[in-house]
């Protein structure tokens, strides 16, 4: 097990055999983490709660979408990892489905599943969990 620190809180990256797994944490307050802009998604900031060796496909985060964010230019989204999303606050409009989802709505997406584009008038906060395919 390798130990590191994040904002003064202890965290560890564990392995199962020789396979690394996501950061190991006992309970901690995510409010101690700073909101950081997501460099791959303008208008989205994140608090990464836990991540694996390849953060792009293995992580748990809080993602905050700014009011007025519209992902139409990015088009329909597909990715090579499993994704679960739980809306905690606000609203998110799926422009393809022509439906608006609010706090309490949940999505589970296998690799390659098309979704979006999205728009949010009020902004939203979501819990997002990614895990690798296979």
């Amino acid at each position: 097990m390798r130990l590191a620190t994040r904002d003064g809180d202890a965290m560890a990256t564990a392995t199962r055999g020789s396979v690394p797994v996501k950061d190991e944490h006992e309970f901690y307050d995510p409010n101690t983490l700073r909101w950081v802009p997501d460099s791959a998604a303008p208008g989205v900031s994140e608090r990464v709660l836990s991540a694996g060796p390849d953060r792009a496909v293995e992580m748990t985060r809080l993602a905050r979408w700014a009011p007025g964010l519209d992902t139409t230019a990015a088009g329909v989204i597909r990715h090579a990892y499993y994704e679960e999303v739980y809306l905690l606050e606000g609203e998110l409009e799926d422009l393809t489905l022509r439906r608006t989802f609010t706090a309490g709505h949940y999505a589970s997406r296998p690799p390659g599943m098309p979704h979006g584009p999205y728009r949010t008038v009020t902004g939203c906060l979501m819990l997002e969990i990614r895990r690798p395919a296979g």
Side-chain angles (χ1 to χ4, degrees), residues 61-78:
R61 73 177 184 166
L62 295 172
R64 183 173 61 189
W65 289 37
L69 182 60
D70 186 324
T71 68
T72 300
V76 173
I77 305 159
R78 289 178 179 82

Side-chain angles (χ1 to χ4, degrees), residues 100-118:
T100 299
F101 301 99
T102 57
H105 280 94
Y106 168 81
S108 178
R109 303 179 183 119
M113 178 182 166
H115 53 286
Y118 298 103

Side-chain angles (χ1 to χ4, degrees), residues 6 8 18 26 32 47 65 77 81 94 106-107 110 127 133:
R6 181 192 328 193
S18 62
E26 186 49 53
T32 63
R47 285 180 171 162
W65 289 37
I77 305 159
Y81 51 83
D94 185 311
Y106 168 81
L127 174 67

Side-chain angles (χ1 to χ4, degrees), residues 57-110:
V57 300
E58 188 171 23
M59 85 160 135
T60 301
R61 73 177 184 166
L62 295 172
R64 183 173 61 189
W65 289 37
L69 182 60
D70 186 324
T71 68
T72 300
V76 173
I77 305 159
R78 289 178 179 82
H79 36 69
Y81 51 83
Y82 290 95
E83 178 183 57
E84 294 177 83
V85 174
Y86 184 77
L87 290 175
L88 299 166
E89 298 174 1
E91 51 77 26
L92 187 65
E93 180 185 1
D94 185 311
L95 299 172
T96 299
L97 298 178
R98 296 184 178 161
R99 287 190 59 196
T100 299
F101 301 99
T102 57
H105 280 94
Y106 168 81
S108 178
R109 303 179 183 119

